[in-house]
């Protein structure tokens, strides 16, 4: 810690302190100050500074001068009579103040800050909580109180005490912002994390976040190389806010494992819902870290504006998972102490503390403003180190306004000249924190004029204070200031007439737009806010699209939808073809967001709204794309509406003179007719033929879509190897394009591997998918894939394992958005339960499946009847109901023969053979099993082969050993595919179901 009165430079945490106040600096400004402070009295040439701060980059010396000027502004230094930084013309700069190192022996062990009055107990409470955190017991403290009560001053004092008393502590600070800040998910936490990437050891933190929190690292693209950004984008596809929550907790724990860490989030009464979830996760997690989280908020606004956070606080307090520190106003004794500290001799006139306490009720901000007002009006003065009352208190009682807002308003009127009022009103439009460049544009004044006024006011300590400097994208630097309290900003803002206020907002938006022309993501929320308040509806919608994109990048799809819906509301106020096109674009993106959250019906609603837009009415090409997208979404809800949408798209495509669009629409219709209608050889043949047409299209996505459809048809006709080859050629194209058909490709790849007997490959792929969704916090999709994992376990004869996976998933999949696959889960449950002897439960699940498939309006309903009939026949056999078993086996066979799916055909003949065998109808049983064998000729259908040959060994005695050998080879092949899963391999080979296959004739005897 370097000290030069009244400042302290904390090199470890890269921050500057003046007494209790932390002075924000940009990384460049801090580096410049630190470089000079570490060489006190030494002339540092300009060239050396330029090389140190901008290595390998050519920078004009004027940029260095700007940073020096900003540092002087922060330090309150005068270039003509310097106390800190001396300029040697054309040579360089020298730091001339006395600098001393503050080591641990000179640090105070504790106690209140010299400037902190009446908060000693509160500071002690926070220091005790910090010490508890340092012992490995994480702490969450909500600091609450009314506006101006001193919450920020208290937290600033705590930070000073911590950094002075214990080296190496990491303090991260973020702040919620009223208005645009509330639109951004995790806004204050991201604000806090961003400070880590500005530190000198940023590479270490980049590595930590890359390992533990890639979803957070992705929010700071400027900290990454191009190849890192691409890798992260691929890795994070499908992530959720739940994953961001989990990763943040894990990362902050990793940082705080060895290094005591304090996370301060201010004004959380304006927190977004995801930040509220973050508090819940931090409080409820069982962390082993030296972590303290402090959140400041206004109690009244918390109750009015953020009910979720208030309810969370009440819940956490009841469970003793957090603490609340309610900051109250100064007592009468506290007011007395404050007055004594302000007067060197400490003498306070009788009655003055009571007078001030009666008006302010101990509110520190009210007190400070009242004192300044009374001194400005010459009612009070400090003469010879003591307070003097120049006018009887009874005579000035009516002069002091009754409310804080009135007092501050009167204070503003008496303290500021008209040019200063104009600048601060413009600044209030910019926000609590603002730059000279932005204020100058809003006030239509020169930056020099704004800089002079802001510098003068900050030196006087009136209303604003210096807050460092900001490097702008064009390479220039602008000074930053901030209101000393948000209430000052509110009062200046409310003074502005509505029409002028709108104009100022518009000017702010235009300045941000021009300054960040190539980096609009950095200011999208601010620009959207300013243009909306500036009544610039056309511009605000543009930035709301970017806000939605940022929300999607943070996996907050509901927030993205809200931003887009808000854009749609604003579009109602403007008209024109361009607006209608933007409306369609917004609706399409809303549909995509809903589909990613498995809310297909809402996605369809958005697309139907898009179809009604005048922009689409005469745009057949766009209408075709929307209808095809609707067909995809309808597939999980209604087969008939799916086919109707695909048919409408195809018919409309015939009016478009583009063979590629026609091929895409025709392939879509034929594909959905098979998947959602019935197996039709002509449709299948035509679908295969379309690939040659789509191969000529310049857009590779159209061809890839048709290839995926063909791979599905290969699966449905038992051509598994061809299906896998075709699918794997096309899937990467769809994945890189973000095409929704890729989700179909993923599922059918698993089924192709399963039916091809490549169980190990299917498991590896599934474990990767399930782990990814678990990591992403997407529990619905995780369990959607767990049921496919259960299917593989079933085919590996691991019935207990399959049952566990299904029971783990069945409750999650009871959600309405998973209705399309609930029957598949129930069907697999029944299959495992039969083999575990739970026949009653199996019957109940099969009733569910029959009920769902009975409507005939689900995708692949004709296909899913095959496993239903098979399982129903098996249940009847196990229950000894041979009449029902025959009925179901025959229905199974009839349904299978209507397709070209030879695995199911062979299994259907096998089921009929086993039923006939139980009924002692040997001739019929042999006929059925011979048909099963004939069905499999020339095909690789391993899931059926071992079962058919096992049954044949019972029925065809003269070739029994041959059939046992064929069954044995197939089972060994399945087992060998599980070499990387030895437990499952053992389960398969030890199953009682196949023991007779591995018996030798001698064993059988």
């Amino acid at each position: 810690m370097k000290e030069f009165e009244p400042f302290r430079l904390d090199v470890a945490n890269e921050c500057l302190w003046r007494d209790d106040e932390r002075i924000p600096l940009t990384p460049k400004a801090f580096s410049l100050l630190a470089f000079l402070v570490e060489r006190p009295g030494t002339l540092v040439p300009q060239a050396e500074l330029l090389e140190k701060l901008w290595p390998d980059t050519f920078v004009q010396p004027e940029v260095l001068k700007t940073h020096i000027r900003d540092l002087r502004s922060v330090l309150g230094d005068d270039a003509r009579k310097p106390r800190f930084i001396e300029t040697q013309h054309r040579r360089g700069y020298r730091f001339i103040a006395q600098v001393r190192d503050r080591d641990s022996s000179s640090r105070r062990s504790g106690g209140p800050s010299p400037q902190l009055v009446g908060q000693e107990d509160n500071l002690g409470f926070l220091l005790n909580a910090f010490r508890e955190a340092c012992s490995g017991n994480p702490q969450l403290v909500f600091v609450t109180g009314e506006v101006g009560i001193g919450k920020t001053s208290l937290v600033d004092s705590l930070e000073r005490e911590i950094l002075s008393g214990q080296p190496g502590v990491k303090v991260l600070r973020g702040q919620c912002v009223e208005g645009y800040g509330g639109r951004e998910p995790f806004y204050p936490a991201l604000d806090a994390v961003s400070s880590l990437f500005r530190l000198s050891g940023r590479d270490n933190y980049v590595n930590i976040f890359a390992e533990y929190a890639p979803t957070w690292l992705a929010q700071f693209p400027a900290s990454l190389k191009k190849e890192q950004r691409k890798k992260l984008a691929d890795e994070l596809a499908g992530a959720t806010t739940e994953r961001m929550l989990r990763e943040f907790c894990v990362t902050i724990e990793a940082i705080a494992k060895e290094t005591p860490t304090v996370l301060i989030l201010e004004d959380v009464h304006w927190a977004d819902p995801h930040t509220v979830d973050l508090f819940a996760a931090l409080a409820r997690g069982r962390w082993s870290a030296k972590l303290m989280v402090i959140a400041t908020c206004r109690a009244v606004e918390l109750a009015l504006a953020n009910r979720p956070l208030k309810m969370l606080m009440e819940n956490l307090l009841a469970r003793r998972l957090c603490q609340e520190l309610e900051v109250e106003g100064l007592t009468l004794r506290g007011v007395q102490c404050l007055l004594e500290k302000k007067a060197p001799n400490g003498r306070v006139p009788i009655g003055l503390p009571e007078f001030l306490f009666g008006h302010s009720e101990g509110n520190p901000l009210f007190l400070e403003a009242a004192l300044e007002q009374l001194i400005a009006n010459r009612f009070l003065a400090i003469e010879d180190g003591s307070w003097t009352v120049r006018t009887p208190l009874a005579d000035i009682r009516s002069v002091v306004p009754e409310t804080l807002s009135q007092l501050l308003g009167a204070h503003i009127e008496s303290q500021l000249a008209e040019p200063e009022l104009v600048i601060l009103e413009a600044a209030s439009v910019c926000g609590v924190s603002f730059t000279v460049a932005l204020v100058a544009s809003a006030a239509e004044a020169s930056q020099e004029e704004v800089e002079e006024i802001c510098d003068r006011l900050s030196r006087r300590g009136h209303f604003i204070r210096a807050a460092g400097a900001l490097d702008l994208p064009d390479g220039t630097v602008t000074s930053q200031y901030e209101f000393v309290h948000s209430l000052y900003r509110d009062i200046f803002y409310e003074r502005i007439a509505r029409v002028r206020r709108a104009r100022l907002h518009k000017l702010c938006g235009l300045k941000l737009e021009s300054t960040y022309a190539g980096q609009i993501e950095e200011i999208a929320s601010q620009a959207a806010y300013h243009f909306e308040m500036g009544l610039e509806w056309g511009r605000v919608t543009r930035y709301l699209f970017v806000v939605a994109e940022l929300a999607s990048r943070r996996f907050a799809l509901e927030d993205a939808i809200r931003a887009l819906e808000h854009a749609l509301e604003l579009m109602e106020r403007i008209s024109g073809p361009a607006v209608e096109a933007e409306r369609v674009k917004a609706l399409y993106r809303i549909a995509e967001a809903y589909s990613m959250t498995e809310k297909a019906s809402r996605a369809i609603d958005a697309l139907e709204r898009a179809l009604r837009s005048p922009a689409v009415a005469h745009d057949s090409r766009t209408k075709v794309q929307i209808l095809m997208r609707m067909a995809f979404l309808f597939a999980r809800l209604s087969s008939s509406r799916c086919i109707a949408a695909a048919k409408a798209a195809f018919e409309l495509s015939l009016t478009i003179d583009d063979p590629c669009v026609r091929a895409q629409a025709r392939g879509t219709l034929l594909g959905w007719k098979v998947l959602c209608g019935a197996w039709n050889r002509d449709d299948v043949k035509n679908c295969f033929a379309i690939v040659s047409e789509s191969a000529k299209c310049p857009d590779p996505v159209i061809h890839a879509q048709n290839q995926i459809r063909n791979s599905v048809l290969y699966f449905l006709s038992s051509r598994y190897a061809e299906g896998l080859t075709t699918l794997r050629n096309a899937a990467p194209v769809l994945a890189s394009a973000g095409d929704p058909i890729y989700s179909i490709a993923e599922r059918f790849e698993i089924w192709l591997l399963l039916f091809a007997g490549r169980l190990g490959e299917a498991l590896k792929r599934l474990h990767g998918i399930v782990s990814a969704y678990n990591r992403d916090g997407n529990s619905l999709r995780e369990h959607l894939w767990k049921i496919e994992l259960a299917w593989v376990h079933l085919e590996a004869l691991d019935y207990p394992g399959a049952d566990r996976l299904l029971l783990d998933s069945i409750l999650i999949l009871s959600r309405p958005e998973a209705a399309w696959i609930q029957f598949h889960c129930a069907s697999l449950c029944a299959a495992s339960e039969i083999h575990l002897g739970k026949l009653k439960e199996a019957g109940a699940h099969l009733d569910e499946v029959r009920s769902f498939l009975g409507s005939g309006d689900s995708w692949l309903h004709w296909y899913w009847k095959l496993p239903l009939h098979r399982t129903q026949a098996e249940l009847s056999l196990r229950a000894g109901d041979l009449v029902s078993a025959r009925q179901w086996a025959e229905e199974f066979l009839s349904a299978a023969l209507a397709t070209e799916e030879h695995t199911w055909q062979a299994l259907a003949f096998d089921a009929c053979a086993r039923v006939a065998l139980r009924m002692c109808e040997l001739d019929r049983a042999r006929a059925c099993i011979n048909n099963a064998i004939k069905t499999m000729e020339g095909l690789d259908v391993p899931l059926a082969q071992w079962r058919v040959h096992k049954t044949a060994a019972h029925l065809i005695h003269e070739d029994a050993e041959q059939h046992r050998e064929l069954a044995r080879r197939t089972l060994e092949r399945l087992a060998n595919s599980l070499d990387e899963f030895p437990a499952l391999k053992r389960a398969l080979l030890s199953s009682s179901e196949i023991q007779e296959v591995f018996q030798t004739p001698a064993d059988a005897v």
Side-chain angles (χ1 to χ4, degrees), residues 175 270 427-428 430-434 481-483 485-486 489-490:
Q175 185 166 14
W270 290 320
S428 73
C430 299
V432 174
S433 176
F434 54 88
Y481 293 86
E482 62 187 12
F483 286 96
H485 199 284
S486 61
R489 183 261 175 186
D490 295 342

Side-chain angles (χ1 to χ4, degrees), residues 49-91:
L49 285 169
L50 290 170
E51 175 60 29
K52 172 66 177 177
L53 298 177
W54 291 277
D56 305 320
T57 304
F58 175 74
V59 176
Q60 294 286 353
E62 284 74 17
V63 174
L64 180 59
K65 292 178 183 177
T66 302
H67 280 292
I68 291 290
R69 185 192 67 206
D70 291 332
L71 280 178
R72 283 187 172 130
S73 177
V74 167
L75 299 172
D77 204 12
D78 188 334
R80 290 166 295 187
K81 297 179 180 179
R83 293 185 299 130
F84 298 105
I85 301 175
E86 179 184 73
T87 302
Q88 292 288 314
H89 188 57
R90 295 183 181 277
R91 295 177 63 195

Side-chain angles (χ1 to χ4, degrees), residues 810 819-831 833 841-858 860-861 863-872 888:
I810 200 161
W820 63 278
I821 205 163
Q822 288 166 8
F823 70 91
H824 181 33
C825 183
S827 181
L828 294 173
C829 280
E833 286 161 349
E841 292 88 340
H845 278 125
L846 288 174
D847 288 343
E848 289 180 32
V849 179
R850 277 200 310 278
S851 175
F852 186 87
L853 295 179
S855 65
D857 206 29
S858 60
L860 277 176
H861 62 91
Y863 179 86
W864 294 119
K865 287 181 179 178
L866 302 174
L868 167 65
H869 296 331
R870 179 196 178 201
T871 308
Q872 193 75 63
W888 285 114

Side-chain angles (χ1 to χ4, degrees), residues 145-211:
E146 64 179 83
V147 62
I149 205 69
K151 300 182 294 296
T152 299
S153 297
L154 174 62
V155 172
D156 286 346
S157 295
L158 174 70
E159 182 175 2
R160 177 180 178 274
E161 292 293 323
I162 288 171
L163 295 178
S164 297
Q166 187 166 339
V169 176
K170 189 65 61 185
V171 179
L172 308 178
R173 294 187 76 149
Q175 185 166 14
C176 297
V177 181
E178 184 181 18
Y180 63 83
R183 291 176 178 161
E184 292 198 28
F186 302 109
Y187 185 88
L190 286 163
D191 186 26
V193 169
S194 67
S195 64
L196 291 173
F197 298 124
R198 294 195 296 267
L199 297 174
S200 55
R202 59 176 293 279
D203 288 344
N204 179 47
Y205 291 106
V206 168
N207 293 334
I208 290 174
F209 275 79
E211 180 178 358

